[in-house]
Amino acid sequence: MDEPERGAETPKASGVKMPAWFDDVRKLGLGLKQLFGAQTRLIVAELGLARSGITLMLFMGLAAIVFAVALGFTLLALAGWGLAQWFGSWAWALAALAGIQLVLLIVAILVFRRAMHWLTLPASRAELAILAREAATQGKAEGELRAED
């Protein structure tokens, strides 16, 4: 009365054969899974690298600004020294340097104001005003024609 344990004896597939193309489809599926798995891992790795790259770009941009300001100060000091050598006086050199900086500041302000004017879209605003006037004129004319009828 020995009963075999359940699952110990598995019945063999008797007489059911899978077609050959089914095995090919299964292999294709496994290959595609491998390929897309590798692509997914690559994309995840590149996104991590891009995230690190953005942080690095921000820090290097900040460093570039700091070094550009330092270079500007150095060049300004060299210009002052050169003017002092030319004028023979530090007072005149600093006055000339202040004058040059004042002229450059005024030019920068004027260019900035011109750019701000461009941001107001002056030509587009003028065109919209013309269209509004024309629409109002046409509306008045149509209203007068209706009133006459």
Side-chain angles (χ1 to χ4, degrees):
M1 294 225 214
D2 279 336
E3 281 190 84
E5 291 182 24
R6 282 191 167 197
E9 256 184 53
T10 55
K12 293 185 179 177
S14 57
V16 178
K17 286 190 175 182
M18 298 300 254
W21 62 268
F22 187 78
D23 190 45
D24 291 339
V25 169
R26 186 185 60 78
K27 287 180 183 176
L28 176 66
L30 289 174
L32 288 174
K33 180 180 174 185
Q34 247 183 346
L35 173 69
F36 289 119
Q39 292 296 326
T40 303
R41 286 190 301 275
L42 176 64
I43 287 172
V44 168
E46 282 187 326
L47 286 175
L49 186 61
R51 186 177 33 212
S52 299
I54 288 173
T55 305
L56 185 61
M57 280 174 38
L58 290 174
F59 281 127
M60 289 303 106
L62 180 63
I65 290 170
V66 169
F67 295 142
V69 169
L71 178 64
F73 286 151
T74 302
L75 292 176
L76 192 61
L78 285 174
W81 178 79
L83 287 171
Q85 296 297 318
W86 187 29
F87 288 127
S89 165
W90 275 102
W92 282 109
L94 291 176
L97 197 57
I100 291 170
Q101 288 179 342
L102 181 64
V103 168
L104 291 175
L105 177 64
I106 290 170
V107 168
I109 289 172
L110 291 174
V111 170
F112 182 82
R113 289 185 69 195
R114 173 55 57 183
M116 287 295 288
H117 177 68
W118 293 336
L119 286 177
T120 64
L121 308 171
S124 297
R125 282 187 306 138
E127 285 294 321
L128 286 173
I130 291 170
L131 285 173
R133 275 194 299 271
E134 288 176 357
T137 305
Q138 185 179 2
K140 283 181 185 178
E142 288 176 2
E144 289 173 1
L145 285 176
R146 286 185 190 156
E148 290 175 3
D149 289 339

